[in-house]
Amino acid sequence: MFALMAWRNLRQGGRRTTLLGLALAMVTGLLVLLMSLSDGVNDSMIKGATSLAAGHVNVAGFYKATPDEGFPMITETGKVKAVAQEAVAGLATVIDRHRGWSRVVSDAGSIWAALYGVSVEQEQRLLQTLRPARLGDYVEDLDGLDPDAREGDMRDLAEADTAMLFVTQARRLGVRVGDALTIRTETLRGQSNTVDVRIVAVMDDLGLMSNWSIFLPKQTILQLYGLDDDTTGAVMLYLDDIERAPQVMEQLRTAYAEAGFDVMEHDPRPFFAKFQTISGQEWTGQKIDITTWTDEVSFLVWVITAIDSVSALLITILTIIIAVGIMNALWIAVRERTTEIGTLRAIGMSRGRVLAMFLTEALMLGLFGTLIGAVGGALLAVGVDALAIPIPSQAVQAILMNDRLHLVVEPAEVLGVIVGFTVMCGLSALWPAARAANMPPITAIHITE
Amino acid sequence: MKPIVELMDVVKEFPLGKVTVRALRGVSLQIGRGEFVAIAGPSGSGKTTLLNQVGCVDTPTRGTVRIDGQSTSELAESALTKLRLHKLGFIFQTFNLVPVLDLAQNVELPLLLKGGLTRGERDRRVREIVDQVGLTEQLGQRPNELSGGQRQRVAIARALVTGPNIVLADEPTANLDSATGEQILDLMERLNRDQETTFIFSTHDSRVMAHARRLVTLVDGKISSDEATEAAA
């Protein structure tokens, strides 16, 4: 009956309850949308990072022929892979890629790019993730070409001296499938070397990282840098559960040390940020560097932090406004129902029960408001994601790490928002509810006599 | 016979701005079980203040109030709440029903607060008492759908449903027309007779006083007379 009283009192609040409930629903909906956006960016980042630049766990390292210069590569690829496969249970895939950094030149322009040398038969994950881009997205002068046509096939990377790049790069280089590029870099011995490659595929962008990632056949990289067959840039491990990455990293650290490898201290930065540190160290030879995917994209985490910070600020302000609104509404209700409170106290309702009655009203309002807002926000997020709305601005694409609006609804987070906001409503009501509970029962009987 | 209500030299003072109002000036009174007592007096004489002391919704500035032998000034707020719940019933001048509950729920409320009864037992007691006040037909109606007389009957049912020793009524007929007021007083008298519940009600209406078997008159916060009425004879 007490819940019924709370519910009916809320309904009796009429416009005040409706407006407050709506405000609560809107703030909750907005929070769910912002969280979905943040999760979407996170998802894009994971997808981009773990497709283009890193495995869930990466066994890479540096080779130093002299103390002054380190090269991002490991020798004994076969043995490195074998240790990982033996030490880690729940491995989905193990691949290896060469890494490099070079100038890429076309007839129309040039860019700096990270090179990934791949064996296309290992790259099922990449094949499933990437999609050839529409000509209309990167060819300026279509001249009778179908803008919706998608040219090229990533599997052609099996042929020597080929390259796969992304829309933004193709636009900047003014190239399309079949055109030639010149890759220019320095070998391990400090000599300049170039190779001409043919573009076999131009893929849709996959977040910020596709701006500077170019894929070549492994053999082309070996040739370009003058490396042995048994070398690679990184052995990338994909796990059944990405959440296990930090634990697997620690496990591998022990396994490689026991297998006789010299393992570097954990440094949570991407490999290219470590050159200066490595060059300043005295050692020569091979050291193994084990990282998780988050380490390799740590330079991008600021985007998520920024989105989360802006969301937190916005939601905090709105939450304070709502909390004050709830408090105010409860104050009014307490004032309007002074006689009722006094009557209830006079007929034997305890202070605790009066407190609980007002808290129940606030919690009920909170629960209904947040439930409507959270469900509405989640449905809107799912709808927007399904529409895959293109993002026109490249700057926004870079920030959101996707060329389309991508929102991910995490049910546990939505539930957390509902619980959190409902509790906030209860806390906001504490003061007026305590005031009501402490009201002396004499208020029910006029003391004018 | 041991009195169920006992006031000994009760003084009640209220601060009002810079002055102190003495609403009760040393009231001593004993009321026995099953009495039907009217507290009469002009406006401002201290009737409601006296009822507040007996009803444990207020405490005296000085003096002692005993309910069923228990001194109220020795009790903590939670114990006073329990005392009100178990031993007292209230009927207010303005009915004071909970507007969001229907008739049956208003009557059931004290039983819920008291606890210890199954839903079936509560329903049975509600129906019994509602039947006694003659509102069986209106069980599902909300207070705003009832007339003033019907609302006061609901208030009486609510006051009696827990089987209290004492029912306090503050000007129970003041907001009712005279015919309905008569009916309410007849009902209170009948319930007093049938259940031997002590009724103490305040009034300044001579027609209402005529129903009481004992009339305590207050003037300026003091008892000016305390006598049996013709109705007692």
Side-chain angles (χ1 to χ4, degrees), chain B residues 69-131:
Chain B
Q70 200 159 24
S71 171
T72 58
S73 54
E74 291 166 6
L75 298 176
E77 173 52 41
S78 57
L80 287 173
T81 304
K82 276 186 187 156
L83 186 74
R84 289 196 296 270
L85 179 62
H86 291 274
K87 295 196 171 172
L88 298 166
F90 290 87
I91 300 167
F92 303 101
Q93 183 180 337
T94 47
F95 324 128
N96 294 17
L97 300 177
V98 180
V100 295
L101 298 180
D102 65 25
L103 187 160
Q105 288 163 340
N106 262 289
V107 177
E108 189 188 359
L109 189 57
L111 292 177
L112 267 176
L113 293 172
K114 205 170 174 182
L117 293 176
T118 63
R119 190 186 177 112
E121 285 169 330
R122 289 199 308 271
D123 282 349
R124 187 181 54 76
R125 283 175 79 161
V126 168
R127 282 181 181 280
E128 267 176 24
I129 198 78
V130 169
D131 186 47

Side-chain angles (χ1 to χ4, degrees), chain A residues 1-2 4-5 8-9 12 339-340 343-351 441-442 444-446 449, chain B residues 43-44 47-49 52 57-58 77 81 84-85 90 92 96 100-101 105 108-109 112-113 142 158 170:
Chain A
M1 187 192 290
F2 300 108
L4 180 77
M5 276 172 79
R8 286 185 177 167
N9 275 319
Q12 206 156 43
T339 308
E340 182 187 324
T343 306
L344 293 172
R345 292 281 290 118
I347 66 171
M349 185 178 271
S350 65
R351 283 178 173 168
I442 197 167
I445 308 165
H446 301 298
E449 284 242 305
Chain B
S43 184
K47 302 187 295 289
T48 302
T49 308
N52 289 346
V57 292
D58 197 9
E77 173 52 41
T81 304
R84 289 196 296 270
L85 179 62
F90 290 87
F92 303 101
N96 294 17
V100 295
L101 298 180
Q105 288 163 340
E108 189 188 359
L109 189 57
L112 267 176
L113 293 172
R142 295 264 191 102
R158 183 179 65 184
D170 185 25

Side-chain angles (χ1 to χ4, degrees), chain A residues 182-400:
Chain A
T182 300
I183 314 281
R184 188 183 300 155
T185 190
E186 270 191 10
T187 67
L188 206 53
R189 293 176 189 83
Q191 296 162 332
S192 286
N193 199 8
T194 59
V195 65
D196 289 332
V197 295
R198 178 175 52 90
I199 299 167
V200 291
V202 174
M203 310 308 254
D204 276 334
D205 281 337
L206 191 64
L208 198 60
M209 269 172 294
S210 48
N211 284 3
W212 62 75
S213 302
I214 288 184
F215 287 79
L216 307 173
K218 198 180 275 184
Q219 211 53 40
T220 303
I221 293 266
L222 291 176
Q223 201 184 320
L224 187 65
Y225 287 98
L227 300 171
D228 292 340
D229 278 354
D230 199 25
T231 61
T232 193
V235 170
M236 294 152 69
L237 313 179
Y238 291 93
L239 309 171
D240 291 338
D241 176 13
I242 193 170
E243 299 295 329
R244 284 178 57 232
Q247 177 200 334
V248 169
M249 178 180 72
E250 290 308 322
Q251 214 176 323
L252 284 173
R253 199 168 290 286
T254 312
Y256 280 106
E258 283 172 359
F261 287 92
D262 200 351
V263 181
M264 289 166 57
E265 284 297 310
H266 180 225
D267 180 352
R269 291 184 296 165
F271 77 95
F272 54 79
K274 296 175 185 171
F275 283 106
Q276 207 172 356
T277 316
I278 298 297
S279 302
Q281 294 170 352
E282 284 301 309
W283 57 273
T284 55
Q286 177 73 64
K287 277 198 178 185
I288 294 284
D289 183 23
I290 308 173
T291 56
T292 62
W293 71 272
T294 49
D295 300 334
E296 295 297 323
V297 293
S298 53
F299 60 104
L300 292 177
V301 171
W302 69 269
V303 175
I304 307 241
T305 310
I307 292 174
D308 287 348
S309 303
V310 171
S311 306
L313 182 71
L314 191 66
I315 294 304
T316 305
I317 294 168
L318 291 173
T319 304
I320 290 170
I321 294 170
I322 295 288
V324 170
I326 287 171
M327 212 182 280
N328 194 39
L330 258 289
W331 277 123
I332 295 169
V334 169
R335 210 169 50 223
E336 284 175 351
R337 284 157 57 194
T338 299
T339 308
E340 182 187 324
I341 297 161
T343 306
L344 293 172
R345 292 281 290 118
I347 66 171
M349 185 178 271
S350 65
R351 283 178 173 168
R353 186 81 81 168
V354 174
L355 182 87
M357 189 172 75
F358 278 91
L359 286 184
T360 306
E361 280 181 38
L363 289 171
M364 235 176 218
L365 176 67
L367 184 65
F368 280 101
T370 53
L371 204 61
I372 290 167
V375 171
L379 287 176
L380 189 62
V382 169
V384 167
D385 186 63
L387 288 173
I389 299 165
I391 302 167
S393 156
Q394 279 191 34
V396 180
Q397 282 182 18
I399 289 169
L400 300 183

Side-chain angles (χ1 to χ4, degrees), chain A residues 18-216:
Chain A
T18 311
L19 286 175
L20 205 54
L22 270 178
L24 197 56
M26 281 170 69
V27 172
T28 313
L30 183 64
L31 179 60
V32 168
L33 273 177
L34 287 170
M35 285 170 79
S36 303
L37 181 67
S38 173
D39 288 338
V41 174
N42 200 36
D43 186 55
S44 297
M45 187 172 76
I46 293 176
K47 208 164 153 189
T50 58
S51 299
L52 300 183
H56 297 162
V57 180
N58 306 283
V59 183
F62 291 89
Y63 182 81
K64 289 172 74 172
T66 66
D68 300 332
E69 200 168 18
F71 197 73
M73 58 170 268
I74 48 175
T75 54
E76 301 182 279
T77 308
K79 190 178 169 187
V80 170
K81 275 189 177 178
V83 170
Q85 277 161 332
E86 198 177 318
V88 182
L91 271 180
T93 332
V94 180
I95 63 169
D96 70 284
R97 285 182 192 165
H98 280 274
R99 287 164 165 178
W101 183 252
S102 78
R103 192 83 187 154
V104 179
V105 184
S106 72
D107 289 344
S110 70
I111 56 171
W112 282 99
L115 303 180
Y116 292 100
V118 297
S119 296
V120 78
E121 71 277 5
Q122 291 183 9
E123 299 286 349
Q124 291 310 310
R125 193 183 181 87
L126 204 56
L127 274 166
Q128 284 164 10
T129 310
L130 300 180
R131 187 173 66 147
R134 290 171 62 253
L135 282 177
D137 288 340
Y138 61 96
V139 176
E140 267 189 23
D141 184 10
L142 284 163
D143 194 22
L145 293 169
D146 177 5
D148 291 323
R150 296 174 187 269
E151 287 186 339
D153 188 341
M154 182 189 152
R155 281 170 291 212
D156 290 342
L157 280 176
E159 295 170 28
D161 299 338
T162 51
M164 175 182 80
L165 57 162
F166 293 89
V167 162
T168 307
Q169 299 162 336
R171 223 168 10 221
R172 282 156 69 187
L173 291 166
V175 292
R176 56 182 282 216
V177 172
D179 289 346
L181 291 174
T182 300
I183 314 281
R184 188 183 300 155
T185 190
E186 270 191 10
T187 67
L188 206 53
R189 293 176 189 83
Q191 296 162 332
S192 286
N193 199 8
T194 59
V195 65
D196 289 332
V197 295
R198 178 175 52 90
I199 299 167
V200 291
V202 174
M203 310 308 254
D204 276 334
D205 281 337
L206 191 64
L208 198 60
M209 269 172 294
S210 48
N211 284 3
W212 62 75
S213 302
I214 288 184
F215 287 79
L216 307 173

